[in-house]
Amino acid sequence: MRSVKPLSRVSLLWGETPVHPLPRFAEAVGLKSCWIKRDDLTGIAFGGNKLRKLEYLLGDALSKGCDLLITGGSPQSNHARLTAAVARKAGMDAWLCFSGKDPGEVQGNLLLDKLFGATIHMTGRYGSEALLSAMEELAREAEKQGRKPYVIPVGGSTPIGDYGYTRAWEEWRRQADRLGLSPVDYLVVPVGTGGTLAGLAVGKRLSPAPVRLVGFSVWLKASEARAETLRLERSLLSTLGVGGGEEGDYLVLDEYAGPKYGVPSREGMEAIRLLARTEGILVDPVYTAKALAGVIDLARRGEWRGKRVLFWHTGGTPALFTHAKTLADGGKENEHRSDRPRSEKG
Ligand SMILES: *Cc1c(COP(=O)(O)O)cnc(C)c1O
């Protein structure tokens, strides 16, 4: 691996996350093999990809003497939940800026934010730019109160945060070498802001391996998601002082994003049930289920038939409980198979 500028880090993970095969799932969809990298098990507050970013973001905040983390997103933001948790672990406070007016039911991530005692601000505005300016406004207010705030943009996607995924790539390569894992054709990850994919792409550039990175966008159109990922990749490269080489070495697809960001898709709900029923593993409706739906469809349609896939589980499982009704309603086939008389509602 090429050497890069060192960044401050606070250790939040318990070590490497597991990587293991999904033989029953692979067989069910027609893949030669499917592996999963369990970043849903990153160890704090139900885990997820944001903890890898927060190791470096918190490191930066502490090295600057900050005592308050300010971040935001949607009220079901996994990133906000994990920021609230790690702020407490570091003896700091968290202020969370959420888009819109009514956060709705206090469930999933929002419930956890409240358990961590985060201060919640509803901005009444939408979009990452509006949120960032709301956070900056809050930071000025905090400074007036004598606090030292550290503002983390939506999704923790800054060069410092995204570097967590450059290190995650190296972790996976080390595991692959140590465990003697056979190569994979595709490494699959959901794409929100694109920071995770950007970090992995930089990792691949620093220590190459013959695998295609594939991001399934769940928010932006493919062209916009790709442009955002490229922008994040470039700023990470310049932060690390790495030049030259090919940028944008990944495929970004948006066909599986469903109706819109945060709204479950039928294919995603099916993906949740299929993985649960073949492997006993849960994915979330907003990110990982939609990426997994892409894997399932490409395999079943034949494009990826017989291929070897690594599915990078990025977490998000607390959001499952905010979609309890849709998920329960979709499980009707259980009722059909049972001997019990059908209920009136059918
Ligand atoms: C934030 C998030 C992502 C997307 O990560 P980005 O770096 O924003 O692209 C994927 N999965 C889950 C569960 C997330 O919370």
Side-chain angles (χ1 to χ4, degrees), residues 290-311:
K290 289 179 176 177
L292 196 64
V295 173
I296 294 169
D297 186 58
L298 289 167
R300 286 192 172 150
R301 279 205 335 238
E303 264 176 70
W304 284 14
R305 181 151 315 132
K307 297 290 186 190
R308 301 162 300 184
V309 170
L310 174 79
F311 182 77

Side-chain angles (χ1 to χ4, degrees), residues 159-340:
I160 289 169
D162 298 343
Y163 182 60
Y165 268 87
T166 301
R167 301 305 302 265
W169 167 273
E170 290 157 18
E171 176 181 306
W172 171 60
R173 294 312 308 151
R174 275 196 311 274
Q175 284 178 312
D177 286 347
R178 199 179 61 239
L179 304 170
L181 306 185
S182 51
V184 292
D185 301 300
Y186 300 111
L187 187 163
V188 167
V189 73
V191 172
T193 62
T196 300
L197 180 57
L200 289 170
V202 170
K204 182 181 166 189
R205 183 158 156 167
L206 297 174
S207 25
V211 54
R212 187 91 174 112
L213 297 181
V214 182
F216 287 94
S217 179
V218 301
W219 174 40
L220 299 170
K221 283 205 204 85
S223 59
E224 293 163 355
R226 186 178 167 76
E228 264 304 288
T229 306
L230 257 176
R231 183 181 69 76
L232 293 167
E233 183 188 0
R234 287 188 183 130
S235 55
L236 174 54
L237 288 168
S238 87
T239 301
L240 297 176
V242 176
E246 190 197 350
E247 286 165 5
D249 184 17
Y250 33 78
L251 189 66
V252 180
L253 303 173
D254 62 9
E255 287 88 344
Y256 305 95
K260 68 175 207 176
Y261 174 76
V263 177
S265 64
R266 195 175 50 78
E267 295 79 4
M269 292 310 215
E270 274 170 34
I272 291 174
R273 280 190 283 274
L274 182 61
L275 190 67
R277 291 169 190 199
T278 51
E279 300 284 350
I281 292 174
L282 299 168
V283 285
D284 85 289
V286 179
Y287 293 94
T288 45
K290 289 179 176 177
L292 196 64
V295 173
I296 294 169
D297 186 58
L298 289 167
R300 286 192 172 150
R301 279 205 335 238
E303 264 176 70
W304 284 14
R305 181 151 315 132
K307 297 290 186 190
R308 301 162 300 184
V309 170
L310 174 79
F311 182 77
W312 205 300
H313 193 328
T314 47
T317 43
L320 273 172
F321 301 99
T322 66
H323 300 284
K325 186 148 182 351
T326 322
L327 277 165
D329 285 352
K332 289 255 163 65
E333 66 271 31
N334 289 349
E335 294 173 27
H336 295 258
R337 280 199 212 105
S338 82
D339 298 330
R340 280 180 284 119

Side-chain angles (χ1 to χ4, degrees), residues 48-69:
N49 63 338
K50 302 311 181 306
L51 278 179
R52 291 196 189 264
K53 297 180 180 186
L54 284 163
E55 286 198 325
Y56 290 93
L57 292 164
L58 188 60
D60 192 40
L62 291 175
S63 75
K64 291 177 171 146
C66 297
D67 60 6
L68 169 65
L69 298 180

Side-chain angles (χ1 to χ4, degrees), residues 51-123:
L51 278 179
R52 291 196 189 264
K53 297 180 180 186
L54 284 163
E55 286 198 325
Y56 290 93
L57 292 164
L58 188 60
D60 192 40
L62 291 175
S63 75
K64 291 177 171 146
C66 297
D67 60 6
L68 169 65
L69 298 180
I70 298 180
T71 196
S74 81
Q76 282 304 326
S77 165
N78 298 305
H79 165 66
R81 176 242 314 167
L82 287 168
T83 301
V86 306
R88 291 317 195 191
K89 190 169 159 63
M92 302 163 91
D93 290 324
W95 290 2
L96 307 177
C97 275
F98 290 142
S99 51
K101 289 192 184 93
D102 177 13
E105 193 193 1
V106 179
Q107 238 305 4
N109 286 302
L110 185 61
L111 171 63
L112 301 176
D113 298 339
K114 298 212 176 209
L115 292 183
F116 293 123
T119 304
I120 290 165
H121 303 260
M122 297 307 299
T123 62

